Amino acid sequence: MSKEIFETLPKIPTHVAIIMDGNGRWALEKGLSRLAGHKAGTENLREVIEASAEFGIKYLTIYAFSTENWNRPKEEIQGLMRIFRTMLDRELNNLHKNGVQLRHIGRLDGIDKKLQKKVHESIELTKNNQTLVLNVAFNYGGRDEILQAVKHIVANGVNVENLDDAQFEKYLYTAESPDPDLVIRTSGEFRCSNFLIWQSAYAEWYFTPTYWPDFNKKGLHQALVAYNERDRRYGKVKQVKGK
Ligand code: IPE
Ligand code: IPE
Ligand code: MG
């Protein structure tokens, strides 16, 4: 990790969510395979997670595999599953030691049974950690999440007469996390790609052209600086001093 000193900022978002995009282009520009890009995209993750905790972020959500990513070539999908498993094996102890509580959002069905087991064990091991909650969005889709919520509500016979935002959110994968304050997307794409579509209704968005494998502590700090310049109004009018 770089030894640079980072300015302390007045506002730190409680929950930061990241669309880790651009692994493929990072690799192709270097004459490497897309999978080499995905591997590289796990190398910087430790730095970003540790920096998040250091900056005082309490929830970090990372988009690792979308419900639409099943439409990629079979070899790439298998490679991504392998990389995710290797990453868990490699990082779990370190995450646990650093007080990171691991959670999964999305669907575990459809994923290799051994990987499912590994995910369950990791969640169990870290469930009492308090420094940082790390939500891993793997096989996650925002539309799928909302549909699942609706199905549960119907199946549970909930009285929809009184259904409000707060009650609905209890059925989302993120029921235990506050809404994201800041969503970061790397690689210069300006879209949400089915990520946290309900939860990010009032999030601040930050886009950077940096490809994910090159995104680091400094990049995260720049996103936080931009966040500090935002004025979150939630539909109200700006408060003017003295008025
Ligand atoms: C993001 O990188 C990782 C996943 C979607 C799994 P991409 O693989 O989308 O990289 P680009 O967008 O093709 O460069
Ligand atoms: C979003 O990136 C999903 C993840 C980062 C896991 P994609 O690369 O799949 O999104 P699109 O296809 O460019 O919208
Ligand atoms: Mg992409």
Side-chain angles (χ1 to χ4, degrees), residues 20 54-55 57 73 86 95 107 109 112 117 131 135 137 147 157 183-184 199 205 209 229:
M20 309 184 291
E54 200 183 305
F55 292 145
I57 294 161
T86 314
L95 290 170
R107 281 172 183 244
D109 52 342
D112 174 70
K117 192 162 168 269
T131 306
N135 289 316
L147 276 176
V183 184
I184 298 171
Q199 298 87 337
W205 283 79
E229 287 158 8

Side-chain angles (χ1 to χ4, degrees), residues 27 35 41 101 119 141 192:
L35 275 179
Q101 186 187 132
V119 173
C192 77

Side-chain angles (χ1 to χ4, degrees), residues 2 56 61 143 196 226:
S2 65
T61 300
R143 288 184 173 183
L196 302 178

Side-chain angles (χ1 to χ4, degrees), residues 29-116:
E29 285 182 15
K30 292 182 155 47
L32 302 169
S33 67
R34 291 183 55 86
L35 275 179
H38 293 312
K39 260 191 225 131
T42 66
E43 302 298 333
N44 58 323
L45 197 49
R46 185 190 274 200
E47 175 171 330
V48 173
I49 295 169
E50 289 181 358
S52 298
E54 200 183 305
F55 292 145
I57 294 161
K58 299 307 286 179
Y59 294 81
L60 178 68
T61 300
I62 51 173
Y63 204 8
F65 192 87
S66 75
T67 45
E68 288 72 38
N69 288 148
W70 292 108
N71 298 319
R72 294 190 176 197
K74 206 163 131 242
E75 300 70 42
E76 182 167 343
I77 296 170
Q78 282 169 347
L80 282 163
M81 299 291 156
R82 209 169 45 238
I83 289 167
F84 185 41
R85 201 170 56 228
T86 314
M87 160 94 198
L88 270 182
D89 285 335
R90 195 184 68 202
E91 296 296 327
L92 184 61
N93 285 338
N94 190 52
L95 290 170
H96 187 41
K97 194 183 85 210
N98 288 332
V100 175
Q101 186 187 132
L102 212 76
R103 293 181 189 169
H104 169 257
I105 61 169
R107 281 172 183 244
L108 277 184
D109 52 342
I111 290 176
D112 174 70
K113 287 274 185 301
K114 270 203 273 183
L115 182 52
Q116 282 191 35

